[in-house]
Amino acid sequence: MTPIDILIMAAGKGTRMKSRTPKVLQRLAGRPLLHHVLDQAAHLQARSAIVITGHGATEVEAATAGLASVAGQYDLKFVRQEPQLGTGHAVQQAVPCLADDGTVVVLSGDVPLTQADTLRALVAASQAGGQLALLTVRLPDPTGYGRILRDGAGQVAGIVEHKDASEAQRAIDEIYSGIMAVPARLLKPWLARLTNHNAQGEYYLTDIVAMAVADGLPVAAHRIDDALQVAGVNSPLQLAELERAHQLRQARALMEQGVRLMDPARFDLRDDARTGVRGQLRCEQDVEIDVGCIFTGAVELGEGVQVGAHCCIANARIAAGAVVHPYTHIDGEKLGASVGAGALVGPFARLRPGAVLGREVHIGNFVEVKNSQLADGAKANHLAYLGDASVGERVNYGAGSITANYDGANKHRTVIEADVHVGSNCVLVAPVTLGAGATVGGGSTITKDVPAGALAVARGKQVAIANWQRPTKQPKP
Ligand code: UD1
Ligand code: CA
């Protein structure tokens, strides 16, 4: 087996993105474009990948060195290209890093959706004859691209760049994708012979095609039908188009596993940009997901889980039969969050890191839960906050009640034992424990532990002043 060395061109400016972020770090499904391309190297079982950086090099290298999905898979190197004198010049910079015994696969850092099978077929086309192989596609509008020139027998004869092409050549609709596979021992001497005598005054990598032909070596063209696989990102609109295409692919894959998406065009699964955790949605049987939901990082949905419209769910596990009503926000961040079997959450609920809900728990509208465990059957149905709390089985937590868990310096725990009933609009000042079966009267501010079974009321006594006269308006002097 000939080893594979990947070369990723990522030095260009990406002017049309009009962004401070280098183009190859713009995100598709939460993951930088360049990282999508590096994943392809892993699929090819490459020996090494060399990223050619230029514009924003420091930022690109910092965001990419130490990438978890690369670790242990292949050797990752960066090579700087300053100034940027064309694609041929870019590849020349990598020559000192390229071993002679490998097949070099040239990719672009801004072309994220090439599929592994396509690249494998391209590599096979190169390795079969020990020759240069180009990935090509036919486009209804080939404007701007390099055109594939063929001789009378249909053999590849060269590539002409759009700006250098004649009218007749511009009519050719087969274009070079920017992706090629070539034996390193052939590539190196060709690179040494490149010139910049062309319309753009650049060193064109594509000029090696005519050199191969002049050397009497055949050039393979591996043509695919799916233009999406070679589509690059140059503008925010193109980025959004590729995002939709990528999401549709993910949605279809889930539907093939039996997941019911109300509309595959309104589904998003993203990497967690904060941690780099890959977007992964694992669903048991009979999961239903309504429109407009965004899943981030690792999410698991148990059998029969229903997710209502417009929910955002990140790094969380939802157990069998649970229902997440519309507009619910669940974000486990690094700690995770979990919802027990048969639980009901939302609409408009918020579960934060460390929210652990037992079976049949109910969390209603405008209820926030952070770093708290709620045992089976506990309920907080309206307008409440539970932070740093342990809540026992069957507890009923009233509307508008909160745990005051933060004293301005430290966080403290609230323990609410089984079968406690907390009335409405209570403040539980932590650290505090409510014993099993205790009742807290509405409007109480609880600062001391409540014994099991007791009623605690901590609020101003109600007074009634009979025959109370309201003030009246004084006439103006
Ligand atoms: C290139 C091809 C063209 C092909 C098209 C496909 C050449 C000469 N032309 O055209 O045949 O149809 O891609 O999209 O190769 N880059 C560098 N350093 C440079 C110049 C470019 O790293 O000095 C990088 C860019 O960041 C980009 C890639 O190389 O990732 C391609 O560059 P781009 O300018 O987009 O190539 P085109 O001129 O469009
Ligand atoms: Ca260019």
Side-chain angles (χ1 to χ4, degrees):
M1 274 289 286
T2 310
I4 294 172
D5 298 304
I6 305 272
L7 234 168
I8 302 172
M9 291 193 281
K13 192 160 181 197
T15 315
R16 280 194 279 153
M17 290 304 296
K18 298 188 174 141
S19 168
R20 283 187 208 287
T21 305
K23 180 165 74 172
V24 294
L25 294 185
Q26 300 286 342
R27 293 175 186 278
L28 182 112
R31 188 169 185 73
L33 293 171
L34 175 60
H35 297 184
H36 283 273
V37 180
L38 285 165
D39 290 345
Q40 295 164 4
H43 288 132
L44 280 181
Q45 266 113 31
R47 166 173 67 182
S48 75
I50 301 165
V51 181
I52 299 161
T53 60
H55 282 283
T58 332
E59 222 180 310
V60 173
E61 290 166 17
T64 306
L67 192 65
S69 60
V70 168
Q73 300 274 337
Y74 55 84
D75 184 27
L76 176 64
K77 296 191 196 94
F78 299 94
V79 168
R80 296 254 177 124
Q81 183 202 16
E82 332 248 11
Q84 288 84 38
L85 303 179
T87 52
H89 179 253
V91 177
Q92 281 171 351
Q93 311 311 303
V95 166
C97 297
L98 284 176
D100 286 329
D101 63 341
T103 299
V104 179
V105 177
V106 176
L107 303 173
S108 279
D110 59 355
V111 178
L113 299 186
T114 321
Q115 299 206 322
D117 286 351
T118 300
L119 293 177
R120 277 189 213 108
L122 180 71
V123 167
S126 165
Q127 291 184 345
Q131 64 189 8
L132 171 59
L134 308 171
L135 186 64
T136 75
V137 67
R138 294 174 67 178
L139 294 182
D141 178 10
T143 309
Y145 291 93
R147 308 297 206 283
I148 303 295
L149 305 178
R150 291 177 182 269
D151 64 18
Q155 299 299 309
V156 174
I159 295 177
V160 61
E161 290 305 309
H162 180 89
K163 287 191 177 141
D164 299 281
S166 66
E167 274 312 305
Q169 288 168 330
R170 285 183 183 184
I172 297 170
D173 66 355
E174 187 185 10
I175 63 104
Y176 169 52
S177 64
I179 296 174
M180 64 168 66
V182 53
R185 60 177 179 78
L186 294 179
L187 176 65
K188 287 182 181 182
W190 290 334
L191 289 173
R193 285 156 56 193
L194 290 177
T195 65
N196 62 354
H197 306 146
N198 51 55
Q200 302 186 80
E202 288 180 9
Y203 295 89
Y204 291 165
L205 177 61
T206 43
D207 284 352
I208 69 169
V209 178
M211 292 179 188
V213 174
D215 289 349
L217 297 170
V219 177
H222 178 68
R223 191 165 72 205
I224 57 168
D225 293 325
D226 181 8
L228 205 60
Q229 289 198 42
V230 297
V233 172
N234 294 299
S235 65
L237 179 62
Q238 285 174 340
L239 181 57
E241 284 168 353
L242 290 196
E243 175 79 33
R244 281 339 308 158
H246 175 71
Q247 293 298 349
L248 197 56
R249 263 190 203 167
Q250 298 194 125
R252 287 202 172 128
L254 283 165
M255 295 179 94
E256 273 161 27
Q257 293 162 31
V259 178
R260 248 135 323 134
L261 299 180
M262 294 305 285
D263 183 358
R266 284 180 285 172
F267 166 85
D268 287 87
L269 170 60
R270 302 175 182 159
D271 283 18
D272 189 335
R274 300 165 298 187
T275 56
V277 170
R278 300 302 296 269
Q280 196 182 28
L281 181 59
R282 282 206 211 144
C283 297
E284 304 281 328
Q285 214 164 18
D286 290 316
V287 165
E288 289 181 24
I289 300 171
D290 210 334
V291 301
C293 292
I294 301 175
F295 297 89
T296 304
V299 176
E300 287 178 35
L301 304 180
E303 184 167 342
V305 164
Q306 294 177 27
V307 181
H310 303 289
C311 290
C312 297
I313 303 182
N315 304 311
R317 299 170 66 157
I318 319 280
V323 178
V324 180
H325 289 293
Y327 300 100
T328 290
H329 192 279
I330 301 176
D331 187 356
E333 294 180 22
K334 284 185 186 167
L335 213 54
S338 65
V339 173
L344 305 179
V345 182
F348 300 102
R350 181 173 185 211
L351 304 184
R352 293 174 52 203
V356 177
L357 313 187
R359 303 171 70 89
E360 317 270 327
V361 163
H362 293 186
I363 296 295
N365 41 224
F366 309 107
V367 174
E368 175 182 349
V369 180
K370 186 217 77 174
N371 192 31
S372 295
Q373 300 79 45
L374 279 75
D376 297 353
K379 291 179 181 151
N381 271 323
H382 330 268
L383 302 161
Y385 176 57
L386 281 161
D388 304 305
S390 302
V391 178
E393 294 180 4
R394 296 172 302 277
V395 162
N396 196 314
Y397 194 75
S401 290
I402 65 148
T403 53
N405 56 323
Y406 184 55
D407 61 14
N410 297 297
K411 302 246 171 88
H412 302 282
R413 283 202 79 78
T414 301
V415 177
I416 305 174
E417 293 179 353
D419 300 301
V420 165
H421 182 103
V422 177
S424 296
N425 215 31
C426 293
V427 179
L428 308 178
V429 182
V432 73
T433 297
L434 312 184
T439 304
V440 178
S444 293
T445 295
I446 299 296
T447 54
K448 286 177 275 190
D449 290 356
V450 178
L455 165 67
V457 186
R459 64 182 183 225
K461 272 214 157 55
Q462 184 169 332
V463 241
I465 296 170
N467 303 318
W468 170 252
Q469 293 294 317
R470 282 191 217 153
T472 50
K473 245 202 165 91
Q474 300 292 319
K476 283 215 172 97

